[in-house]
Amino acid sequence: MNTEKTKIHFTDNYLINPTNPITVNLIGAGGTGSKVLTALMEMNHSLIELGHAGLQVRLWDDDIITSANLGRQRFAECETGLYKSVSLVNRANRFSGTSWKAETQKFEKDKFGRLPENAKSTIYITCVDNVQTRFGVAEILKEISYRRNYSRDEPKYWLDFGNSRHTGQVLLSTIGTIKQPNSEKYETVASLPFVTEEFGDLLKQSEQQDNTPSCSLAEALEKQELFINSSLTQMGCSLLWNLFRNGMTEYRGFFHNLKDYRTQPIKVA
C-alpha cells in the first residue's frame, strides 16, 4: 500500500487575507511582461470583487517603444517613442482606476552596489530575456531577504517567465521559507528554490543565444513565435491566481512547448 503523501506548498497567510493591497514588482514590459500586466489587471479586479484588498503593481522597464514592438506586444503606433512601462501603467490606471506605478529604469543595483528605490515588494514577477538580469534579480532578492524587518510587504514569492522561439517555462520560487501549517493529509514544502539555483547551468548555456534587438516585427517573429508569450502568460498567471484562490499548490511551474502543444508540469518537491 502506497502511503506517500502528496507534496504541497501552502500560500503564505498574508496573501490570503491582507489588510492592504499586495505589492507586486513586475520586471520587464515586453512581449510577456506587457501581457502579464493585463492579466494582473484582471486578477486585481477579481480579487477585489471577492473581498480581497487586491494588488499594487510597480512595472520596471527602461526600454522605449519602437515599431518592432507593435502588434506582438501591447503597444499602439501612437505610443512609439514613449517608455514601455509608463505607457502600459498609464493605460492600466485609466482602464481600472488603479494607482499603479512605472519605473523607467532597470531593476538592478547602481554602480555603488545600492539597491534600487522601491525594490521591496511581496511578489516579484520577472519577464526578461537576459540571463544576467535574472541572476541580478536573484542577488537583490537574497539581499532584501537577508535584511528582513517583517513589514507588511515582506518579500514572499518570485515568479519567473522565460522563453525561446517555440518553448518556455514558468517557475515559482519562495523568497526564504514560508511557514506551513500542520497537515496530516499532505507533506508540506516551505521552500521552493530559485530558478537561478535549480536551472542556473541551463540559463548560462542559453546566454550564448543572440539577444540583439529586432528592427522590425518580421525580424522579431523569426526569434519568437507570435503566441508563445501569451500562452505562457495565461498559464503562469493561473498558477499565481491559484495561490490566492486555493491557498495551496501541488505545482510550482511548467515547461511549455508551443510547437507540438505539450506542457509538462513541475511538481512541488
Side-chain angles (χ1 to χ4, degrees), residues 125-221:
I125 303 176
T126 44
C127 306
V128 298
D129 55 10
N130 184 288
V131 175
Q132 184 179 356
T133 300
R134 276 197 183 89
F135 280 93
V137 170
E139 183 180 343
I140 290 174
L141 296 188
K142 288 177 182 178
E143 185 169 335
I144 292 175
S145 179
Y146 180 76
R147 297 181 182 180
R148 284 180 187 273
N149 58 9
Y150 301 100
S151 59
R152 65 178 176 84
D153 59 349
E154 202 65 34
K156 303 291 184 183
Y157 294 100
W158 175 16
L159 186 65
D160 178 69
F161 290 76
N163 70 279
S164 57
R165 182 175 180 180
H166 301 283
T167 63
Q169 73 286 328
V170 176
L171 194 71
L172 177 70
S173 307
T174 59
I175 303 171
T177 300
I178 305 297
K179 185 178 180 181
Q180 300 289 286
N182 296 324
S183 177
E184 295 183 0
K185 184 176 181 181
Y186 301 111
E187 178 183 344
T188 60
V189 178
S191 180
L192 307 176
F194 279 7
V195 62
T196 50
E197 296 171 349
E198 190 169 18
F199 300 107
D201 291 340
L202 289 175
L203 289 174
K204 290 175 181 176
Q205 289 175 18
S206 68
E207 195 172 23
Q208 300 173 359
Q209 296 179 358
D210 180 20
N211 286 321
T212 55
S214 301
C215 297
S216 67
L217 176 58
E219 185 178 342
L221 291 172

Side-chain angles (χ1 to χ4, degrees), residues 15-205:
L15 268 69
I16 304 299
N17 190 28
T19 54
N20 295 283
I22 298 293
T23 52
V24 180
N25 269 330
L26 174 56
I27 303 164
T32 302
S34 61
K35 295 175 176 64
V36 168
L37 188 74
T38 302
L40 292 176
M41 288 170 54
E42 298 172 2
M43 198 180 304
N44 176 63
H45 182 82
S46 300
L47 286 171
I48 292 173
E49 288 295 306
L50 292 168
H52 190 277
L55 307 174
Q56 177 62 37
V57 178
R58 186 176 295 272
L59 177 60
W60 298 73
D61 201 304
D62 67 336
D63 278 352
I64 300 294
I65 301 166
T66 68
S67 59
N69 304 137
L70 308 182
R72 191 172 62 88
Q73 301 180 17
R74 292 286 190 264
F75 302 111
E77 187 174 358
C78 62
E79 295 173 310
T80 302
L82 302 177
Y83 280 106
K84 290 182 177 181
S85 55
V86 172
S87 177
L88 289 169
V89 166
N90 283 344
R91 196 185 316 155
N93 288 338
R94 288 195 301 269
F95 189 88
S96 300
T98 49
S99 58
W100 292 358
K101 306 299 182 184
E103 295 285 352
T104 57
Q105 61 176 310
K106 293 180 179 179
F107 187 84
E108 63 183 13
K109 293 182 179 181
D110 66 18
K111 61 182 180 180
F112 300 107
R114 295 175 299 200
L115 298 177
E117 290 187 24
N118 304 308
K120 196 172 183 181
S121 69
T122 301
I123 297 173
Y124 296 80
I125 303 176
T126 44
C127 306
V128 298
D129 55 10
N130 184 288
V131 175
Q132 184 179 356
T133 300
R134 276 197 183 89
F135 280 93
V137 170
E139 183 180 343
I140 290 174
L141 296 188
K142 288 177 182 178
E143 185 169 335
I144 292 175
S145 179
Y146 180 76
R147 297 181 182 180
R148 284 180 187 273
N149 58 9
Y150 301 100
S151 59
R152 65 178 176 84
D153 59 349
E154 202 65 34
K156 303 291 184 183
Y157 294 100
W158 175 16
L159 186 65
D160 178 69
F161 290 76
N163 70 279
S164 57
R165 182 175 180 180
H166 301 283
T167 63
Q169 73 286 328
V170 176
L171 194 71
L172 177 70
S173 307
T174 59
I175 303 171
T177 300
I178 305 297
K179 185 178 180 181
Q180 300 289 286
N182 296 324
S183 177
E184 295 183 0
K185 184 176 181 181
Y186 301 111
E187 178 183 344
T188 60
V189 178
S191 180
L192 307 176
F194 279 7
V195 62
T196 50
E197 296 171 349
E198 190 169 18
F199 300 107
D201 291 340
L202 289 175
L203 289 174
K204 290 175 181 176
Q205 289 175 18

